[in-house]
Amino acid sequence: MQAYNFHTESGEPMSEPRRSFTREDPDSRRAALIRATLELIAEFGPQAATVRAIAAEAGLTQGMIRHYFSTKEELVNAAYEAHMQAQTEASEASAGGAGTARARLAHFVAGSVTPPVADPRAVSLWAGFIHMIRRDPAMHATHRESYLRYRDLLQGLLSDALAESGRPVPEAEARRLAIACNAVIDGLWLEGGALPEAFGSSELEGIARDSVGAILGLSLLRDEASQ
Amino acid sequence: MQAYNFHTESGEPMSEPRRSFTREDPDSRRAALIRATLELIAEFGPQAATVRAIAAEAGLTQGMIRHYFSTKEELVNAAYEAHMQAQTEASEASAGGAGTARARLAHFVAGSVTPPVADPRAVSLWAGFIHMIRRDPAMHATHRESYLRYRDLLQGLLSDALAESGRPVPEAEARRLAIACNAVIDGLWLEGGALPEAFGSSELEGIARDSVGAILGLSLLRDEASQ
DNA sequence: CCGGTAATTATGCAAGCGTATAATTTCCAC
DNA sequence: GTGGAAATTATACGCTTGCATAATTACCGG
């Protein structure tokens, strides 16, 4: 390291100009720090997300972390919140297409077990936050809210799809089905992320479609999923 | 801390006897260190598993880690291997009962989504190892082997259960079904561990039974699972 | 164009980290 | 009993960590 510590040939330290900088708006600085934090946690784990590493990854100096966040923990919390919000928005966009409820469900399921949602980085990132989620009440609440929102989305989709095919289900049953379908999706997401080389490229997508279909008693067709 | 640093009333350090000890056999010492390592990673994450914390949790001094393992990393690897081996043995014991294949399958599935297999500690422990699994080839190999062994066990059980009910399936199809059932189980394991308060006490067990049943086209009865 | 203010960089600090080594204690062979 | 080897404790070292503060630079309003 020490990319900015120049020395003379004799080894003596040489006075060296400070790195130049430009002032940027606070939001983009915060975003850069959050992005760097998520990148490091996903790729190398929470241990690697030190203030110095985060600053380097963001192309800044470590003082910026304390300038924009009162503590490193606060930055990590902000990063978690930003990540969960992005995920939720992506899910809702993925569920919001046109077509029959069955087609929207198929599309939603397929999107949840293929990149970029399902990939080793995403699983690693999730795992990196688990311990903090268990201990920090605020992070636990964010996690809970995000999970339930995703599951409710799924429950709405499958309720509509079942009603559409003439087999409406009461809400309690829809809840159970949503938990089950969510489990299939999460399980495939997990396995694809933790052991990607063990599966063919679109194998998990097909298995997800068939399994959710079997649980619901619907057939989710391939071409419906990919539209 | 400093439980063994006595001082006089005036605050001066007082020469103090070393803590007494007994010599124990190397295996039990190694086991104690491994147990302490797993406990800390599960409960507080890898960051909390420092040599000092591990030694304290094991009731030893930190020199023992270097005495029984050449490095802390080696201890962590040994702990991971020991954990995975224990899990594999538990799975195989759970699958090895008597009765029809369908009953054994039901029992196996139920055991995988209820404590002690499914609980927040287990999920945390798994999450704590993920990043090392991704980067350390030896740990990756252990993970892969353990996962495939579990899945093969499940595949054997469901193959037998299907054959038993007059609907044998080719191996390629059995593999797909095993991946799917494994996903349901893992997903419920994950959700139950990450958000335990969101589910009723035996709710996940029932959902697992019904979902695996739906995927396989078998009905797995409650009393079959609990025998 | 220039002075002031806030953003940014650079440096310092105490605490904790993993590892190395010295000092002490246990316990078995004889 | 009593050495003596090995297990165990205690301490020290260099490095990294998160956080604090001092020094510098960019940019805006006049």
Side-chain angles (χ1 to χ4, degrees), chain A residues 21 65 75 77 83 127 139 151 166 217 223:
Chain A
F21 61 91
I65 289 173
L75 165 58
N77 284 28
H83 170 65
M139 291 182 75
R151 202 181 74 192
D223 44 345

Side-chain angles (χ1 to χ4, degrees), chain B residues 123-145:
Chain B
V123 174
S124 285
L125 186 54
W126 178 88
F129 280 118
I130 276 290
H131 294 95
M132 316 181 210
I133 290 170
R134 274 187 71 193
R135 296 218 130 55
D136 183 328
M139 291 182 76
H140 187 87
T142 300
H143 168 73
R144 176 194 179 84
E145 191 181 326

Side-chain angles (χ1 to χ4, degrees), chain A residues 137-159:
Chain A
M139 291 182 75
H140 188 87
T142 300
H143 168 73
R144 176 194 179 82
E145 191 182 325
S146 174
Y147 166 77
L148 292 176
R149 195 156 162 181
Y150 180 90
R151 202 181 74 192
D152 285 347
L153 199 60
L154 183 56
Q155 180 172 334
L157 279 173
L158 67 85
S159 267

Side-chain angles (χ1 to χ4, degrees), chain A residues 37 40-41 45-56 62 65 72 75:
Chain A
T37 303
L40 286 169
I41 293 178
Q47 345 229 21
T50 67
V51 288
R52 285 163 180 83
I54 292 170
Q62 62 164 313
I65 289 173
K72 182 196 154 191
L75 165 58

Side-chain angles (χ1 to χ4, degrees), chain A residues 155 158-160 162-163 166-175 177 216:
Chain A
Q155 180 172 334
L158 67 85
S159 267
D160 290 351
L162 286 170
R167 295 190 293 109
V169 292
E171 183 169 341
E173 176 61 11
R175 176 175 179 275
L177 291 173
L216 299 180

Side-chain angles (χ1 to χ4, degrees), chain B residues 106-184:
Chain B
H107 182 252
F108 182 75
V109 169
S112 295
V113 297
T114 47
V117 171
D119 83 325
R121 247 184 114 269
V123 174
S124 285
L125 186 54
W126 178 88
F129 280 118
I130 276 290
H131 294 95
M132 316 181 210
I133 290 170
R134 274 187 71 193
R135 296 218 130 55
D136 183 328
M139 291 182 76
H140 187 87
T142 300
H143 168 73
R144 176 194 179 84
E145 191 181 326
S146 174
Y147 166 77
L148 292 176
R149 195 157 162 179
Y150 180 90
R151 202 182 73 192
D152 285 347
L153 199 61
L154 183 57
Q155 181 172 334
L157 279 173
L158 67 85
S159 268
D160 290 352
L162 286 170
E164 190 181 79
S165 64
R167 294 190 294 108
V169 292
E171 182 169 339
E173 177 60 12
R175 175 175 179 276
R176 276 174 58 92
L177 292 172
I179 293 172
C181 293
N182 193 12
V184 176

